[in-house]
Amino acid sequence: MPGPLDVFRDNALAGHVALITGGGTGICRGIAAAYARLGADVCIVSRKQDVLDIAAKELSAQTGRTVIGIAADVRDPEAITRAIAATVERFGKLDTLVNGAAGNFLAPAAALSPNGFKTVIDIDLNGTFNASRAAFEHLSKTGDSLILNISATLHYHGTPLQVHASAAKAGVDAVTKNLAVEWGRFKIRVCGIAPGPIAETEGMKRLAPGELTDKMTAGIPAARFGTIDEIAAAAVYLRSPAAAYVTGHVLVVDGGHCVATPALGMSFS
Ligand code: HXC
């Protein structure tokens, strides 16, 4: 019987089945790789089947596990329901849902169209609910399930040019807490990870292009961007028996970014 200190042992996730939205690229591809490396079978979901096919093939080759890709837009409840059903049909069950599909761009609120705001809410927030709702029936059958929602720290303060993403991620954190409360009795834990600036992600390419990278790094006490593997390690911990009594919690992994103050113009590097 695995104990709480066996988090990263070989085969820690043998027999597990995880579905990861946004798993074709970036942070969520890193989580897919980590779960598969520890023995899980994984379905990655995003909008583009060609991206998924390449990622699934590479992840299977790297980990020796079965990684499949199913195209679905999380904004479409029927499409994500079909993807989840196909995953259960293929692997026999579902233990873990990671809600990572997200959309973002820099836009001043005064110039952001209502549809631009709605689009990000639809992907991040409604997508998280759609997938969680569709997975509930399957997750409630395993006796040890996890929903892991990837949010951000944008909404802890006002963040310029990010009203759409901040509102969406605040909603995602609210979904984490509410589902944890409602679904605990079904043996479903619901947790979140709030990554700070993470290197080599689509998010940072969009939000901190060029010279903004140095400016942002100066405001991080750890004096660097985080890595995809550091988020994946948090996702492994939250999936493990070590976190069996952790639910409704959002784990911030940001090198201290969100607790630092820019007061007096100080930087940390
Ligand atoms: C202003 C924009 C815009 C931009 C799109 N829109 N890009 N408005 N500035 N740069 C507006 C459009 O004008 C349109 O409104 C509406 O948004 C929908 O745009 P579409 O292109 O039709 O939508 P769609 O094809 O569904 O694309 C969704 C998307 C896109 C979010 C806009 O960028 C996308 O699919 N991104 C996926 C990958 C991604 O963004 N990853 C980064 C996540 S980063 P109108 O009114 O014209 O119809 C992240 C990290 C956050 O989540 C935290 C970091 C610390």
Side-chain angles (χ1 to χ4, degrees):
M1 191 67 180
L5 299 180
D6 290 328
V7 178
F8 296 105
R9 79 184 195 291
D10 284 349
N11 293 321
L13 293 180
H16 266 78
V17 178
L19 184 143
I20 303 179
T21 72
T25 55
I27 284 174
C28 288
R29 178 180 163 143
I31 294 173
Y35 283 1
R37 190 166 72 79
L38 294 175
D41 290 322
V42 176
C43 175
I44 52 177
V45 171
S46 74
R47 279 179 291 170
K48 296 182 187 145
Q49 190 65 55
D50 55 334
V51 172
L52 290 172
D53 287 343
I54 294 166
K57 201 171 158 198
E58 288 174 357
L59 290 170
S60 296
Q62 280 163 18
T63 64
R65 300 305 311 176
T66 307
V67 179
I68 61 171
I70 299 178
D73 189 330
V74 294
R75 290 173 283 191
D76 178 348
E78 286 175 14
I80 189 66
T81 298
R82 280 196 300 273
I84 289 168
T87 302
V88 172
E89 195 173 332
R90 172 71 188 267
F91 296 124
K93 62 171 180 160
L94 183 68
D95 302 282
T96 299
L97 167 69
V98 179
N99 286 307
N104 202 359
F105 45 79
L106 291 174
L112 178 63
S113 74
N115 191 42
F117 186 88
K118 177 179 179 296
T119 297
V120 172
I121 298 284
D122 274 348
I123 300 170
D124 295 24
L125 175 54
N126 297 348
T128 293
F129 176 75
N130 292 340
S132 301
R133 175 69 186 82
F136 170 74
E137 182 196 334
H138 305 291
L139 293 172
S140 64
K141 288 180 185 155
T142 73
D144 177 25
S145 290
L146 174 72
I147 296 175
L148 180 59
N149 296 329
I150 310 302
S151 63
T153 62
L154 298 167
H155 53 291
Y156 295 179
H157 306 279
T159 303
L161 313 181
Q162 287 287 271
V163 66
H164 44 309
S166 296
K169 295 300 194 181
V172 170
D173 284 355
V175 168
T176 298
K177 287 182 194 165
N178 282 276
L179 295 188
V181 168
E182 284 199 33
W183 292 355
R185 68 196 175 93
F186 298 99
K187 311 290 182 210
I188 302 171
R189 289 185 299 113
V190 187
C191 294
I193 296 175
I198 304 300
E200 289 169 41
T201 59
E202 182 63 24
M204 280 306 108
K205 268 182 225 148
R206 287 166 182 248
L207 304 187
E211 74 282 7
L212 264 182
T213 304
D214 288 345
K215 215 170 162 190
M216 200 180 267
T217 303
I220 303 171
R224 63 174 178 83
F225 278 21
T227 67
I228 287 173
D229 279 353
E230 286 168 335
I231 303 300
V236 168
Y237 160 69
L238 288 169
R239 177 52 275 185
S240 75
Y245 203 50
V246 180
T247 191
H249 180 68
V250 180
L251 179 59
V252 176
V253 184
D254 76 339
H257 190 217
C258 75
V259 295
T261 171
L264 308 178
M266 284 157 53
S267 71
F268 303 95
S269 53

